[in-house]
Amino acid sequence: MDVLRIRGGRRLTGEWTVHTAKNAVLPIMAAAVLTPDTTLLEDCPLLSDVAYMGEILTRLGCKVTRNDRMLKIDPQGMDSHEMPDELAKKIRSSIFLLGPILTRFRKATVTFPGGCEIGLRPIDLHLSGLRQLGVEIHEEGGVIHCDGRYMQAGNVHLDYPSVGATENVMMAAVLLRGKTVMHNVAREPEIVDLQHFLNRMGANISGAGSHTIVVEGVRRLHGISYKPMPDRIVAGTMLAAAAITGGNIHLKNVPVEDLHAVFSKLREMDCVLTQHADAVVLHAPERLRPFARLQTQPHPGFPTDMQAQLLALATVASGTSILVENVFENRYGHAGDLNRMGADVLINDRTAVVKGVKELYGARVTARDLRGGAALALAGLRAQGETIVEAVHLIDRGYERFEDALAALGADVRRETVTDT
Ligand code: UD1
């Protein structure tokens, strides 16, 4: 088991370049099976979720190889429509493959997917979207059988703008004859990136980033080489890391247009941010100011994937901050450990009341999910003494060598492998 050992108290300073986005790469990997040709993903980050998705594709018969930061997916040999159960349980994004598998085989078998323990995360919206395209679905003992023989383009309405369901339906519709109009879809930037990717492959999709997506079916897609968008959540996390230490950093390769909600909260906390075309410079104050209210919402609202990091900042602000988590029902797993470090966080259902304290103190804490784990590491950067963050494998799902990124900006942090005795 790996842990992060952090000695707090150093201000982060310097320059760092953001890697490509996990949430863009994963659906694009699924979309790669929509063509018989080979797809190349440039600057593909070294994340465990990407590795798991690669393993799933391999088990389905694809050839997935990595050459340094280039990922190559050759789906020629894909011969299975059954999602490998034990791998699918490891990442929720396995569900993205449902649409592409159906397109390829007109049938698919999946079990309920896994992922971070941050809520119920059902897949009813995915299934409802596919049903509206004519897929017949029945469930038997936790196994979902999909019959796509009668799939056809048409109107799809999502009851809630789920990111994954939007991407799944988009991929299922891309090779259907005729026009599919998707209503009440999610507007996240990674969906726009998926649209770019598919259109570069020969698809005819418009509207991603708005509430309605129109997919005009095409006959065939071809292989391309593509560089996914930079990771807005990694960018936000690094800014938060600098902010909690009173530091100043220059981040490069930042999707600035996708980060307005995060920038606005950091400014409310008295950070000075200077935006450039694809970079941002942050100067943090000596003591952060609390924010009045932070509510997570679908994009362009404040992203749920940045809630834990901002909560960590609020623990050391000069007053009380209120957070409301609207997207997931169980996303305050980090609060208990922050309190063990001296924070004053009170959780009531979806609301967190955070009274800022002057100091945090190092402790042994455990990541419970990806972003919550990152938030604990941030608290460790600020805390007096040593913090040990356990279950780093959860942080590795979405941050490429997080310890190296923080150390490059001057943090005293290292990874250690501990063996159980
Ligand atoms: C994606 C992101 C994740 C982010 C989330 C919300 C990827 C790989 N992951 O996850 O990092 O936190 O968007 O921005 O892109 N829901 C249902 N039924 C469904 C699907 C979702 O009830 O069929 C609910 C979920 O339980 C959750 C909410 O809808 O409460 C949002 O989920 P969704 O937008 O689907 O998130 P993901 O695509 O899983």
Side-chain angles (χ1 to χ4, degrees):
M1 189 184 75
D2 283 3
V3 302
L4 292 185
R5 194 180 281 275
I6 304 168
R7 286 218 143 258
R10 292 205 187 171
R11 284 174 199 267
L12 297 200
T13 54
E15 262 184 31
W16 193 73
T17 303
V18 177
H19 60 67
T20 48
K22 163 179 94 70
N23 289 354
V25 169
L26 295 174
I28 286 175
M29 287 176 77
V33 311
L34 291 167
T35 166
D37 305 340
T38 294
T39 294
L40 296 174
L41 287 189
E42 300 159 33
D43 194 24
C44 190
L46 290 153
L47 303 172
S48 57
D49 269 12
V50 171
Y52 284 137
M53 194 67 163
E55 272 182 56
I56 294 177
L57 289 173
T58 305
R59 286 279 290 279
L60 292 173
C62 303
K63 210 168 142 196
V64 182
T65 46
R66 193 185 252 283
N67 185 356
D68 192 16
R69 299 191 73 78
M70 177 81 90
L71 193 78
K72 186 171 165 187
I73 301 170
D74 172 2
Q76 279 279 356
M78 185 170 172
D79 55 2
S80 172
H81 67 277
E82 291 179 22
M83 199 91 77
D85 186 32
E86 73 288 0
L87 282 171
K89 285 211 159 63
K90 288 193 173 161
I91 57 165
R92 179 173 167 82
S93 309
S94 56
I95 196 68
F96 295 145
L97 273 160
L98 196 49
I101 293 177
L102 273 165
T103 300
R104 213 170 158 115
F105 297 106
R106 286 288 186 263
K107 59 183 175 182
T109 305
V110 291
T111 44
F112 283 95
C116 280
E117 298 300 327
I118 55 175
L120 296 170
R121 304 189 99 181
I123 56 168
D124 54 320
L125 297 165
H126 295 251
L127 301 183
S128 151
L130 293 171
R131 276 199 178 100
Q132 292 174 65
L133 290 180
V135 179
E136 286 174 14
I137 299 169
H138 67 273
E139 195 200 317
E140 215 179 272
V143 181
I144 301 161
H145 301 277
C146 303
D147 177 350
R149 272 176 299 177
Y150 306 109
M151 274 171 88
Q152 55 179 9
N155 277 308
V156 175
H157 175 88
L158 296 181
D159 283 342
Y160 175 87
S162 149
V163 177
T166 301
E167 294 169 334
N168 221 339
V169 174
M170 210 164 130
M171 292 189 274
V174 75
L175 289 168
L176 294 179
R177 186 184 306 170
K179 182 168 159 177
T180 296
V181 183
M182 300 167 57
H183 302 277
N184 196 32
V185 294
R187 299 165 62 191
E188 267 64 5
E190 292 76 15
I191 299 170
V192 180
D193 206 43
L194 179 63
Q195 171 179 288
H196 283 158
F197 173 75
L198 290 166
N199 284 347
R200 285 263 321 277
M201 291 171 98
N204 185 356
I205 308 172
S206 56
S210 76
H211 293 294
T212 308
I213 293 178
V214 179
V215 184
E216 296 275 3
V218 296
R219 289 176 78 88
R220 190 182 186 280
L221 299 179
H222 55 83
I224 56 164
S225 184
Y226 189 77
K227 184 172 173 184
M229 65 174 287
D231 198 312
R232 63 195 164 102
I233 305 301
V234 169
T237 304
M238 297 308 283
L239 293 175
I244 203 168
T245 65
N248 47 75
I249 60 166
H250 180 164
L251 272 192
K252 294 178 172 173
N253 197 31
V254 178
V256 286
E257 289 305 321
D258 303 324
L259 277 159
H260 290 305
V262 174
F263 289 170
S264 149
K265 277 292 158 236
L266 289 170
R267 287 192 172 112
E268 203 178 324
M269 298 190 90
D270 269 357
C271 293
V272 177
L273 282 120
T274 315
Q275 287 171 233
H276 302 281
D278 64 350
V280 60
V281 176
L282 174 137
H283 289 275
E286 209 46 52
R287 182 102 197 254
L288 293 163
R289 209 154 49 120
F291 44 79
R293 192 181 165 93
L294 180 158
Q295 290 208 63
T296 65
Q297 281 166 348
H299 191 78
F302 190 91
T304 173
D305 286 352
M306 280 301 298
Q307 174 260 103
Q309 301 87 317
L310 266 283
L311 192 151
L313 297 195
T315 64
V316 290
S318 58
T320 301
S321 305
I322 310 276
L323 295 90
V324 183
E325 173 55 63
N326 291 311
V327 179
F328 289 106
E329 58 285 306
N330 184 19
R331 209 169 189 182
Y332 288 124
H334 41 289
D337 270 339
L338 288 171
N339 284 347
R340 293 187 53 230
M341 297 175 76
D344 184 348
V345 184
L346 182 75
I347 305 292
N348 184 358
D349 193 18
R350 286 173 179 257
T351 303
V353 179
V354 187
K355 279 192 192 155
V357 295
K358 264 211 143 101
E359 297 297 344
L360 295 175
Y361 301 94
R364 197 175 184 100
V365 294
T366 306
R368 286 178 173 78
D369 63 69
L370 163 58
R371 308 302 171 186
L376 293 175
L378 263 49
L381 296 175
R382 166 64 189 244
Q384 287 186 19
E386 186 174 80
T387 296
I388 293 176
V389 183
E390 294 179 343
V392 182
H393 64 277
L394 290 171
I395 299 178
D396 294 336
R397 300 181 67 154
Y399 297 89
E400 180 173 320
R401 293 190 299 262
F402 195 39
E403 66 281 9
D404 289 353
L406 297 172
L409 295 168
D412 182 350
V413 48
R414 61 180 195 275
R415 178 185 293 255
E416 281 176 12
T417 301
V418 291
T419 39
D420 289 337
T421 49

